[in-house]
Amino acid sequence: MSFIQKIKEKKKVIIAGAALAIAEAAVFVHSRYPTAFPHIYYTATDSFTTTPTEKIIEEQFGIDYEGDSNEDRQKELAQHLQTVYDQNPALLNHCQKIVLHSETVRSSPLVKPFLDYDGLATSPGASINILNNTIEVVTHELAHLKYHRTPNKFKEKLAKIFGDSYHLEAKPVLSNKNTWIDDTNGPKDGFVVPYGATSESENVATYVPKAYNPSFWYDLRLQQSEKYLQTLTLLHEYEFISQKQFEEAKERIENNPLKDLLKILENLKTQVNVVNGEKDDSP
């Protein structure tokens, strides 16, 4: 084999190795973030289609829109953004781009088997990806962006409230992000849902959407920990929730009409335990 042929063979090996590495990287990225390639596609084709609602989103909220060209879904997203703007515009401050994925992408056999999230916040790009187009998902991802741009003092104060409570009772994310280890769900030990106990960021991002569902704060389980009001006070201080949202939540927790009933039930439970104890001690 001549010297030139050897060089050509080495080039083939290098090219084949590089191609394999790129393919492996692509498979890894797709398995972890199955919406990454649709996101790239939306970015590349963004200038081809512009609807009136897309213009409203970009002009009224100052947020670049990419993604689904279905205007009905765009209008739903615009309504969610309007709700946030009306109740707490500060939550929108750090969002520069929203990518709304179509139902076709979400249900695609190339995406659905790998998909384990309804939305995704990308801090370096100040963007959020939305698959499940609801106010809860939108505000959850917006809260992630704000969390990553909030001073460390906020995180220090949050750590004083929750300490080492994270991961203690929440099931691993890949196992079940919706239940505690005892298979219950809902508020517990200062967290509003089990998924919030998986990290500081998820704790904040699960609290914020509840501010858009005021009836949540009537849940009697919120009476069992001072962490709820402490966390709400902190979130209000750093503008994750507005003054009005804070006052609504505080009012419902402190003056829950069912709180007295809870005390009565607890007293009855104590009395029953005492009676049972006396019976057990009798000959």
Side-chain angles (χ1 to χ4, degrees):
M1 182 181 295
S2 68
F3 176 75
I4 294 177
Q5 287 177 321
K6 287 181 179 180
I7 294 297
K8 288 182 177 180
E9 289 299 321
K10 284 185 178 179
K11 284 184 177 179
K12 289 180 181 179
V13 172
I14 292 172
I15 292 172
L20 179 61
I22 292 172
E24 289 177 345
V27 170
F28 174 78
V29 170
H30 183 72
S31 63
R32 292 288 301 276
Y33 307 106
T35 54
F37 293 109
H39 185 169
I40 294 172
Y41 169 79
Y42 286 139
T43 299
T45 60
D46 181 51
S47 60
F48 297 163
T49 304
T50 301
T51 67
T53 304
E54 180 177 343
K55 288 182 179 179
I56 290 173
I57 291 174
E58 296 185 340
E59 293 174 3
Q60 184 169 339
F61 304 108
I63 299 174
D64 184 26
Y65 175 89
E66 293 178 0
D68 195 350
S69 59
N70 183 315
E71 197 162 14
D72 287 337
R73 298 191 74 237
Q74 290 178 355
K75 288 178 179 178
E76 289 177 2
L77 176 62
Q79 183 57 55
H80 300 326
L81 295 175
Q82 186 65 54
T83 298
V84 176
Y85 183 82
D86 291 342
Q87 296 194 31
N88 185 29
L91 194 61
L92 296 170
N93 288 347
H94 302 289
C95 184
Q96 297 178 11
K97 179 191 292 186
I98 292 181
V99 181
L100 178 62
H101 292 269
S102 68
E103 291 295 341
T104 302
V105 168
R106 188 180 180 189
S107 59
S108 166
L110 295 176
V111 173
K112 189 174 181 180
F114 303 97
L115 194 61
D116 65 350
Y117 52 85
D118 290 324
L120 185 69
T122 307
S123 181
S127 65
I128 61 174
N129 284 252
I130 302 298
L131 287 103
N132 189 9
N133 191 13
T134 65
I135 184 68
E136 182 174 7
V137 173
V138 171
T139 52
H140 180 101
E141 302 308 331
L142 288 172
H144 273 305
L145 288 185
K146 185 170 176 58
Y147 173 84
H148 290 296
R149 286 166 172 74
T150 301
N152 286 333
K153 191 67 176 177
F154 167 80
K155 296 163 189 176
E156 292 172 3
K157 291 180 179 180
L158 186 67
K160 287 182 180 179
I161 296 174
F162 286 91
D164 60 354
S165 299
Y166 297 99
H167 300 290
L168 295 183
E169 294 194 55
K171 284 189 174 182
V173 173
L174 294 179
S175 170
N176 189 328
K177 64 176 68 173
N178 298 312
T179 65
W180 301 102
I181 55 176
D182 60 3
D183 290 323
T184 61
N185 53 29
K188 187 175 185 178
D189 193 29
F191 299 104
V192 292
V193 292
Y195 191 40
T198 58
S199 72
E200 293 86 349
S201 178
E202 295 299 348
N203 187 14
V204 172
T206 50
Y207 254 88
V208 171
K210 300 303 182 186
Y212 297 84
N213 178 25
S215 62
F216 168 79
W217 305 110
Y218 281 127
D219 194 309
L220 283 173
R221 289 170 290 187
L222 303 179
Q223 305 292 327
Q224 299 172 2
S225 175
E226 295 180 354
K227 293 178 182 178
Y228 293 106
L229 280 177
Q230 292 172 352
T231 304
L232 285 167
T233 301
L234 182 61
L235 292 175
H236 170 238
E237 179 184 351
Y238 285 85
E239 297 186 317
F240 282 92
I241 61 176
S242 67
Q243 176 73 25
K244 181 180 179 181
Q245 289 173 327
F246 170 69
E247 290 176 351
E248 285 179 340
K250 187 172 183 289
E251 167 69 19
R252 283 163 172 75
I253 292 175
E254 291 183 334
N255 300 310
N256 190 330
L258 297 176
K259 185 163 59 174
D260 292 336
L261 176 61
L262 179 63
K263 290 181 179 179
I264 293 173
L265 292 175
E266 289 176 345
N267 289 334
L268 286 173
K269 182 179 179 181
T270 300
Q271 293 175 13
V272 169
N273 289 338
V274 170
V275 170
N276 288 338
E278 291 175 352
K279 288 182 178 179
D280 291 340
D281 293 335
S282 61

